[in-house]
Amino acid sequence: MRHPLSDPRFIQLTTWLNNTFSMALSPVLISGDASVRRYFRVVVNDISYIVVDSPPEQLVLQQFIDIANIYAENDINVPEVIEKDTQNGFMLLNDLGDTSLFSILDSDNVEYYYKTALNLLNNITKVKATAKRELPLYDSAFIRQELEIFTDWLLKYHLSMTLNTARLNMLEAVFRHLIENANEQPQVGMHRDYHCRNIMLKNNTLNLIDFQDAVIGPITYDVVSLLRDCYLRWPDELVSQLMCEHYEQARLNGDISTDISLEQYRRWFDLMGLQRHIKAVGIFARLHHRDQKSAYLADIPLTLGYIRDVALSYPELKEFGSWVELELIPQFMNKAENVI
C-alpha cells in the first residue's frame, strides 16, 4: 500500500486543508472503512477535526452531506459538515472521538446502550427523503444483487466451489424466500449499516456515522443489524428480549400495524438477518480479494454461525442450513488453516 505522504490524493487533500485554514497542516491517517474512503485527523488551534477522503469517481460525497442534513433536522446526532469540496471528494467534519459502541460494550452495559440505539430508530424510520430527493428503494433487484455477492465472492472466488444444479436451485429458493420476506415488511427509512462500529459515543450521547447509503427498506433491517452484529454476538435470550421490545416500540411509533403478530415480526427479523449475513460474508471475501482488506476474513466464522443457526430453525431453509453447517463452514475453516 502506498504511503499517504507519497499519495497524490493525500497531497491534494493537504493542499485543500492548508488553503481552508490558511496554514500548513499535517493530517494523520486514522482509519479506512469497508470502502475506498479514508479518514484523517487534524488539530487546528487545539480543536480536532476529521478529514474525509472520498474519491469522487467511486463514491458520491453529496449523498453523505444530504443525509447528514436531514438526519440532523430529525434530531439524529451525526457529524457536522464544516467544509466540503464535493468535486474532489474532500470533507471536514467535527471530531466525534474514537469511542465506538464496539469498543465499550460488555455484558453489564449492552442492554442500556442497545435500548438507546433502538430508540434512535424511531426518528430514522421517518427519514425517507432528503431536501433534494427520495431515498433509493431497497427493492427486489437491490436485494438480489447483494445476495449474489455471496455466490460470486465467497463460494466461487474465495472457496473455488463449483455449484451443481441442485445447489444452485437450493440457493435460488433461499434467495426467493429472503426477497419475499423483505418485500412483505413495512418499508421505512433505513440507515442500512446500523451496527456497533457505526455508533460513536461522545459525552454519553450516541452519534451515527456511515449513513450515506441510507434507503427505504424493511422495518427489521436496522434492528437485526444491531442485535445480530457481524462483529460480536450476544446471548439469544437478550437478543430476543430486545427484539420483542422493538416490536412494541415500532407499533407505538406507527411503523408496523397493530395486527402484526410478534410471531410474524420474529420471522421478519430472523430472515432479514439471514439475508444481511449472507450478503456480509460475500462482502468480507470481496474486501479481502479485491480491496486487500483481509482483516474482515476474521469476521466470517461468526457470521456463518448466524446463517447456520437461523436457517436450521426454519423448515423451508433447513437444507440450506445443513449445507452451511456440513460443507460451507468446514471448507472455509480448512482454507483459513491452510493460509495460516
Side-chain angles (χ1 to χ4, degrees):
M1 181 178 295
R2 178 181 291 168
H3 191 279
L5 293 177
S6 64
D7 184 339
R9 279 198 62 81
F10 178 79
I11 296 170
Q12 186 182 9
L13 178 146
T14 302
T15 300
W16 173 71
L17 271 180
N18 292 345
N19 292 335
T20 298
F21 286 103
S22 300
M23 64 175 68
L25 298 169
S26 300
V28 177
L29 180 67
I30 54 174
S31 73
D33 61 13
S35 73
V36 294
R37 281 183 297 268
R38 296 184 300 177
Y39 300 88
F40 299 82
R41 178 171 280 121
V42 65
V43 178
V44 182
N45 298 326
D46 296 325
I47 300 175
S48 181
Y49 301 92
I50 298 299
V51 189
V52 181
D53 170 21
S54 182
E57 68 277 6
Q58 294 172 280
L59 298 168
V60 181
L61 202 59
Q62 192 62 48
Q63 293 175 191
F64 179 97
I65 296 168
D66 292 344
I67 295 170
N69 289 337
I70 195 66
Y71 270 14
E73 289 177 15
N74 283 270
D75 298 321
I76 302 164
N77 294 317
V78 295
E80 178 188 356
V81 180
I82 298 168
E83 294 288 344
K84 61 186 178 182
D85 178 353
T86 54
Q87 181 176 351
N88 291 303
F90 302 136
M91 187 166 53
L92 186 72
L93 309 174
N94 67 313
D95 192 347
L96 297 177
D98 297 314
T99 306
S100 68
L101 276 191
F102 179 78
S103 68
I104 59 96
L105 284 175
D106 59 34
S107 58
D108 294 325
N109 64 24
V110 59
E111 185 173 350
Y112 168 77
Y113 282 120
Y114 272 21
K115 285 183 178 180
T116 305
L118 289 174
N119 284 334
L120 289 179
L121 293 178
N122 285 339
N123 292 353
I124 292 173
T125 58
K126 304 305 182 188
V127 177
K128 296 186 178 182
T130 68
K132 298 178 180 178
R133 62 179 177 87
E134 288 192 351
L135 297 186
L137 295 177
Y138 193 68
D139 58 14
S140 297
F142 202 145
I143 299 169
R144 179 169 290 278
Q145 184 178 39
E146 289 191 335
L147 289 168
E148 288 175 353
I149 298 171
F150 168 79
T151 307
D152 294 339
W153 285 95
L154 182 69
L155 303 186
K156 295 180 180 178
Y157 200 106
H158 186 70
L159 297 177
S160 303
M161 295 179 70
T162 300
L163 301 175
N164 59 28
T165 300
R167 289 286 179 255
L168 289 171
N169 289 340
M170 177 191 69
L171 284 178
E172 175 58 27
V174 171
F175 290 179
R176 284 199 309 270
H177 275 300
L178 299 182
I179 292 170
E180 290 170 3
N181 176 72
N183 288 338
E184 71 183 30
Q185 298 183 40
Q187 304 294 296
V188 299
M190 194 175 97
H191 179 287
R192 197 173 155 227
D193 210 9
Y194 200 67
H195 58 74
C196 64
R197 289 183 177 177
N198 284 338
I199 303 175
M200 307 300 293
L201 185 64
K202 186 174 184 180
N203 299 326
N204 207 35
T205 299
L206 301 189
N207 300 265
L208 305 188
I209 61 173
D210 210 13
F211 44 74
Q212 63 280 342
D213 295 322
V215 294
I216 298 172
I219 179 66
T220 61
Y221 190 100
D222 283 343
V223 185
V224 77
S225 298
L226 181 73
L227 299 184
R228 288 190 176 146
D229 197 314
C230 292
Y231 306 117
L232 41 74
R233 185 165 182 171
W234 300 103
D236 291 343
E237 295 79 8
L238 175 62
V239 172
S240 180
Q241 172 201 325
L242 292 170
M243 182 214 68
C244 291
E245 291 184 16
H246 182 265
Y247 165 74
E248 296 295 344
Q249 172 187 317
R251 284 156 57 97
L252 290 173
N253 197 44
D255 290 327
I256 59 174
S257 64
T258 55
D259 61 348
I260 297 298
S261 68
L262 177 59
E263 290 70 25
Q264 176 66 72
Y265 184 82
R266 187 184 301 275
R267 177 184 170 83
W268 285 347
F269 176 87
D270 284 345
L271 270 59
M272 195 75 256
L274 183 60
Q275 183 271 324
R276 188 174 191 276
H277 291 135
I278 289 172
K279 174 196 75 169
V281 292
I283 288 176
F284 294 157
R286 187 175 69 184
L287 285 166
H288 167 64
H289 291 284
R290 189 190 69 181
D291 303 322
Q292 291 76 56
K293 296 184 178 182
S294 299
Y296 289 92
L297 287 180
D299 299 310
I300 290 180
L302 174 63
T303 313
L304 286 176
Y306 278 130
I307 294 171
R308 173 200 61 213
D309 294 346
V310 171
L312 287 174
S313 67
Y314 285 88
E316 66 272 33
L317 300 170
K318 190 160 288 188
E319 179 187 0
F320 174 66
S322 296
W323 175 72
V324 171
E325 179 178 41
L326 300 176
E327 295 186 38
L328 184 54
I329 292 177
Q331 286 197 39
F332 177 83
M333 299 307 295
N334 182 60
K335 182 176 177 66
E337 290 173 2
N338 289 337
V339 169
I340 295 172

